[in-house]
Amino acid sequence: MAAGGKHLKKPPKGSPMLFALMLIVVVPAVVLADEWGAGSAGIIGGLTGLFSLVVFMGGSLRADLRVVTVMAPLLVFAAAVPRLVAESSRPAAIALVVLLGFVAALLPVLGPRFANAGMGLGMTTVFSYGYAPQGGADHRQVFAAAVAGVAVALALRLLMSAGDPSKPTREQVAEVLVSDDPTTATSHAFGMWLDDGRPRWLADVLDASSRYRADLHIAERSRTVPADDVVALHDRARRLSDQIKAKPGKKPADPEDAASPQAPVPEHAGLAAASRALDDIEQAVRQRDTTPVQIEHDQRHQLKGALLHPSDRVQSIQLRHALRMALGLLLMLIITSGLDRGDPLVSTVLLATFSILQASWRDTLTKATNKVIGVASGSIAAAVILLVVPERFLVAIAAVSLCLGLWYIVSRPALGYGFMVVVSVGFNAVSRDLDPVNLLLQYVGLTAAAVVVGLVVGFAVVPAFRAPPLRGRIQSATEATAAALRASSNGSAPARPDHAALQRQAVQKQEELVPDHDHLDDAQLDQLDRLRTSLQDLTALSEVTRLDPAALDRVVRALSPAGAPVPALDDGRAGAPAQEASSMALDLAQQAGDAERALLRTLPATV
């Protein structure tokens, strides 16, 4: 071990982020709601404001304001209507909550930008339904609180981007140059570019960045590439990435960043092509032509849909997740329907259920594990406190626990959940005059039910909603990749929606090459990771390189599960960029084919 434990991994520290959000969002929203006459319903406004800010952030100001026009009325509806309907018909209110939970879990099909929107909508729905203000609140007070929360979140979103509305778009485009996952970075950047006015200079940067990454990747696989030239190109790309992120008109802090030094062109053909791509990026950054790229209205929407919309089949990951979410919330709503109206545990347990249920089994298990550890440790701590501490000190202990819980819940969830158990028992026992021991037992029992529902529903009880067998997912991913390769090599324009749809379908199939409910050993996990990575690299390469028919035939045959012999590439043009690209594609295809065949040999016939 290194001296002083230098290489020991330190546990993550806490974060003041939630404290800051409480001060800038929750407190102003509660104050505004109170000014509008919301009374004790003001806390609904505070939490609605917090969840709404999560929804309204994530892209450029232009794109986020379009999200606001759709999501703001939906957030007000979710914060007010289900709990008001529950006063006259609880079954109707439960149906509304389940429907809104389904919609929230399905929102990410609209693209990565809507992942946070789904989380914010779902948490707004379940919290507002379960929370009952002391003394009650009429419909005017509840709507006033909901509108106040959304209004504060919108005002804060406008203030955050008033000086630089397009900063998130530039940052995502710049990430394409330096990201460890260029395929995902390019997809996200392209979607944000479409939503942010389609400035020409960013389109040129995206195009040249893709060429740079592909040319550099090809060159790096050559054993003769000069290492110093590669390092120089990486350094130049990082400098250009910083220039892309810089606010227009702002002078760089480092004079060396104002203009990249004129570097000598590398002798290696692939590195020379990569250097020329960086030259194009530098020219685009220098000119910053903000003229919108003209795309026909129908074609733009078809292209955006092809790139961003996952499959809407029942077997798709997101739709399965939405069905699991709806069923999970329905079960927990039925379980908690026996509790009194206004019971503080209803909102707590529904939020726990919503947070535990994730799109994949492993993510759900991770969330559930953190919840179990937190509740177990928090329950033990709460039990000790109830035994040895006088009841008059419970509020003070709960306040300290709240501070510690907010500090750790993001970086160390299990520890944060433990503190929140003490908060729930302490505050609710005193403020609502409840027996703390019974409250603790109910908390543990209902949380255990939420964990069981999260782990079982959709993963074991409803097998029809599971992912397709891994064997089938492997074959579908290789077939979709082959189809995308054929489309990119037959002369189709890359911007055509049908071509983009094939590319996106290939990416979606590749993303499903992860263990869902499959039991794999280390060797199989390694082969699955190699298969997914090789197919993703092959798809990315196809976007910037067109294979000739002979090379395409070799690549597709290498991907075949049958493992037919593939002749070597030899057309007398060794060293040329096109030949290097063909060799790179064949190499990737052979890696993917080897991993595919190894998995199909070792997987059970039913997997």
Side-chain angles (χ1 to χ4, degrees), residues 517-549:
H517 206 69
D518 315 292
H519 302 286
L520 305 179
D521 58 32
D522 291 341
Q524 290 172 321
L525 287 171
D526 183 63
Q527 294 287 359
L528 187 62
D529 183 66
R530 183 178 294 112
L531 172 61
R532 183 179 64 255
T533 303
S534 298
L535 292 179
Q536 288 172 340
D537 288 346
L538 193 57
T539 304
L541 181 64
S542 73
E543 294 176 2
V544 293
T545 302
R546 183 172 299 169
L547 301 176
D548 59 62

Side-chain angles (χ1 to χ4, degrees), residues 192-205:
M192 293 180 71
W193 172 79
L194 277 177
D195 288 333
D196 197 22
R198 309 181 309 283
R200 182 169 296 281
W201 79 276
L202 286 181
D204 293 340
V205 169

Side-chain angles (χ1 to χ4, degrees), residues 441-457:
L441 292 175
Q442 286 183 339
Y443 188 103
V444 173
L446 289 171
T447 303
V451 169
V452 171
V453 166
L455 290 176
V456 173
V457 171

Side-chain angles (χ1 to χ4, degrees), residues 181-197:
D181 185 3
T183 301
T184 301
T186 302
S187 177
H188 291 180
F190 185 74
M192 293 180 71
W193 172 79
L194 277 177
D195 288 333
D196 197 22

Side-chain angles (χ1 to χ4, degrees), residues 384-397 430 436:
V384 172
I385 290 170
L386 293 176
L387 287 173
V388 302
V389 177
E391 187 172 330
R392 64 180 181 275
F393 295 117
L394 287 181
V395 173
I397 292 174
V430 175

Side-chain angles (χ1 to χ4, degrees), residues 142-483:
V142 174
F143 272 106
V147 172
V150 173
V152 168
L154 176 57
L156 287 170
R157 180 65 190 91
L158 291 171
L159 287 173
M160 288 176 179
S161 293
D164 192 0
S166 295
K167 180 180 178 181
T169 304
R170 295 198 313 275
E171 290 179 339
Q172 187 61 56
V173 171
E175 189 67 16
V176 176
L177 267 177
V178 295
S179 173
D180 293 332
D181 185 3
T183 301
T184 301
T186 302
S187 177
H188 291 180
F190 185 74
M192 293 180 71
W193 172 79
L194 277 177
D195 288 333
D196 197 22
R198 309 181 309 283
R200 182 169 296 281
W201 79 276
L202 286 181
D204 293 340
V205 169
L206 274 173
D207 174 67
S209 297
S210 296
R211 288 189 280 114
Y212 161 75
R213 295 302 297 255
D215 291 333
L216 185 62
H217 198 168
I218 294 170
E220 286 180 326
R221 298 180 68 88
S222 171
R223 297 179 180 179
T224 60
V225 64
D228 291 342
D229 289 348
V230 173
V231 172
L233 285 175
H234 280 298
D235 290 341
R236 186 183 176 196
R238 280 191 290 269
R239 289 196 300 270
L240 285 172
S241 176
D242 292 337
Q243 292 179 28
I244 296 167
K245 294 176 186 178
K247 183 178 178 180
K250 182 178 179 181
K251 295 182 179 179
D254 188 346
E256 292 184 0
D257 290 341
S260 299
Q262 190 66 35
V265 178
E267 295 182 1
H268 188 279
L271 294 184
S275 180
R276 288 192 295 271
L278 292 182
D279 290 340
D280 293 341
I281 293 174
E282 188 170 1
Q283 182 179 0
V285 172
R286 195 164 48 243
Q287 295 176 348
R288 288 189 183 252
D289 181 2
T290 57
T291 306
V293 175
Q294 297 300 318
I295 303 177
E296 293 183 8
H297 185 271
D298 291 342
Q299 186 182 24
R300 172 155 39 101
H301 284 277
Q302 292 171 15
L303 183 59
K304 186 189 298 184
L307 285 169
L308 299 181
H309 292 190
S311 169
D312 57 359
R313 297 175 295 107
V314 174
Q315 289 81 10
S316 70
I317 290 176
Q318 206 61 46
L319 186 54
R320 292 199 314 272
H321 172 54
L323 291 169
R324 282 196 298 266
M325 179 65 73
L327 289 170
L329 288 177
L330 176 61
L331 286 177
M332 290 309 300
L333 286 163
I334 292 172
I335 291 172
T336 57
S337 64
L339 299 176
D340 296 333
R341 278 284 296 147
D343 192 302
L345 292 180
V346 175
S347 60
T348 301
V349 173
L350 290 178
L351 282 170
T353 305
F354 184 84
S355 65
I356 288 172
L357 281 164
Q358 300 294 312
S360 74
W361 161 259
R362 291 202 169 195
D363 289 344
T364 300
L365 182 61
T366 299
K367 291 277 188 178
T369 301
N370 286 329
K371 196 72 177 177
V372 169
I373 294 173
V375 170
S377 59
S379 299
I380 293 172
V384 172
I385 290 170
L386 293 176
L387 287 173
V388 302
V389 177
E391 187 172 330
R392 64 180 181 275
F393 295 117
L394 287 181
V395 173
I397 292 174
V400 173
S401 299
L402 176 61
C403 294
L404 292 171
L406 293 175
W407 187 265
Y408 284 111
I409 200 164
V410 174
S411 59
R412 302 177 69 179
L415 183 58
Y417 291 144
F419 284 119
M420 288 305 179
V421 174
V422 180
V423 173
S424 181
V425 173
F427 274 136
N428 290 318
V430 175
S431 63
R432 298 178 182 267
D433 195 24
L434 300 173
D435 179 28
V437 176
N438 288 337
L439 188 63
L440 177 59
L441 292 175
Q442 286 183 339
Y443 188 103
V444 173
L446 289 171
T447 303
V451 169
V452 171
V453 166
L455 290 176
V456 173
V457 171
F459 292 106
V461 172
V462 193
F465 295 151
R466 293 184 190 174
L470 181 56
R471 180 181 293 272
R473 302 206 304 272
I474 290 171
Q475 294 171 337
S476 297
T478 53
E479 291 170 0
T481 303

Side-chain angles (χ1 to χ4, degrees), residues 17-43:
M17 181 181 66
L18 285 180
F19 283 111
L21 289 175
M22 294 284 285
L23 289 175
I24 67 173
V25 185
V26 177
V27 173
V30 171
V31 171
L32 181 61
D34 187 64
E35 286 293 321
W36 288 355
S40 59
I43 191 62

